Amino acid sequence: MLKAAIDRILNLAEPNLVNIGGETYADKDLHHIPFELTARPLQVHTLTAILDYITSGCDEQEDDINRKFVIHVENQKTVRLYHELNSDKVRECLLEACVEPSCFPFGRWLNVEDFIIQMQSHFVDSWAVDSLIKLVSNIVDENSVTTTDDGKTQQVTARSGIALVKKEDAPNPIDLAPYRTFNETQQPESSFVFRIRKGDKGIEAALFTADGNAWINDAIIGIRDWFAREIPVELRDEVIILA
């Protein structure tokens, strides 16, 4: 307790400043009080919200007139709107747009019913999606035994495995566009490998990614291009887009 009391007394003392080699040092932790106050960023979930903030002049003050907006596309799910550096060399973050799209369970084996539901709810409609759904719908689990008996001899035929009710063609790898970024932009396509197998509980299907996550860069470029198109011409010189 005595040590704590002594430390408390020392902390209340004025800091000692020492100049060494032209640099100033202090024997206490000092906290800088900024010349300009900054606000906490607003949390939004669309790119349109950022665009509306810029075009409406919302929260604009006299000190902000000469500062450009900076749109930073951090990744496919996060975009932040800043002002340029202020007098404290701080970029004020005004808005933060985040999206968390529900994703298809890639790399996981699903039964036919679950696979079809996931395909219909997590992908942009296309010929490729329809083709895969049609293919999976026409797969049956053959597990039957037939017999023929003429009174003298009996023949037994057993079938077990996966068979197609109707022949369907599906390219492999197949290009699909899952919902993985902001809805305002075009969802990037990527390649997937489609596989089926006979599991313990019946037929199972799965999709495996096959593009090394190159789609992430396409999504970032897509967000940048959306802002470049949608920002009014008269405001484009006031906005910097970083992606």
Side-chain angles (χ1 to χ4, degrees), residues 23 28 46 71 81 83-84 101 113 119 123 136 138 148 151 153 156 158 183 190 195 209-210 221:
E23 299 288 339
K28 288 184 175 59
T46 64
I71 297 174
L81 177 67
H83 261 145
E84 285 186 306
E113 185 70 18
M119 287 294 299
F123 290 87
V136 173
N138 285 321
T148 58
T153 59
V156 179
N183 287 335
S190 42
R195 306 299 295 170
T209 56
I221 297 303

Side-chain angles (χ1 to χ4, degrees), residues 5-6 9 42 52 58 75 88 91 122 126 143 171 207:
I6 294 174
I9 293 171
L42 291 174
D52 290 343
C58 182
N75 53 47
D88 295 311
R91 292 184 184 88
H122 290 105
S126 67
N143 191 2
L207 283 175

Side-chain angles (χ1 to χ4, degrees), residues 51-225:
L51 182 65
D52 290 343
Y53 187 93
I54 293 172
T55 56
S56 68
C58 182
D59 297 335
E60 194 169 287
Q61 299 182 13
E62 185 177 351
D63 292 340
D64 300 328
I65 293 176
N66 296 323
R67 289 183 193 150
K68 292 183 179 181
F69 289 108
V70 179
I71 297 174
H72 178 212
V73 185
E74 184 173 320
N75 53 47
Q76 78 279 9
K77 297 191 292 186
T78 305
V79 179
R80 292 185 174 91
L81 177 67
Y82 294 92
H83 261 145
E84 285 186 306
L85 292 174
N86 61 22
S87 59
D88 295 311
K89 300 300 181 184
V90 173
R91 292 184 184 88
E92 182 179 15
C93 184
L94 305 170
L95 266 72
E96 182 179 68
C98 297
V99 65
E100 287 293 339
S102 177
C103 293
F104 184 93
F106 297 111
R108 220 176 82 198
W109 292 97
L110 305 171
N111 62 49
V112 171
E113 185 70 18
D114 288 342
F115 185 86
I116 292 174
I117 292 172
Q118 296 284 352
M119 287 294 299
Q120 290 178 325
S121 58
H122 290 105
F123 290 87
V124 177
D125 286 339
S126 67
W127 169 87
V129 172
D130 293 340
S131 177
L132 268 188
I133 291 175
K134 194 176 293 184
L135 175 66
V136 173
S137 300
N138 285 321
I139 297 174
V140 295
D141 188 0
E142 241 186 26
N143 191 2
S144 62
V145 177
T146 60
T147 63
T148 58
D149 191 346
D150 60 5
K152 293 182 180 179
T153 59
Q154 184 181 54
Q155 292 182 336
V156 179
T157 304
R159 292 184 179 180
S160 180
I162 296 174
L164 279 172
V165 174
K166 180 183 176 183
K167 185 177 180 181
E168 298 286 351
D169 294 326
N172 208 8
I174 187 168
D175 292 334
L176 301 167
Y179 294 108
R180 296 179 289 192
T181 186
F182 293 91
N183 287 335
E184 290 96 332
T185 67
Q186 183 176 351
Q187 301 298 315
E189 281 192 351
S190 42
S191 296
F192 299 92
V193 175
F194 169 68
R195 306 299 295 170
I196 58 172
R197 73 179 184 183
K198 181 174 170 147
D200 295 336
K201 297 182 180 180
I203 300 167
E204 296 177 331
L207 283 175
F208 299 88
T209 56
D211 72 337
N213 285 334
W215 68 270
I216 294 177
N217 188 61
D218 294 337
I220 291 173
I221 297 303
I223 295 171
R224 181 201 65 185
D225 293 345

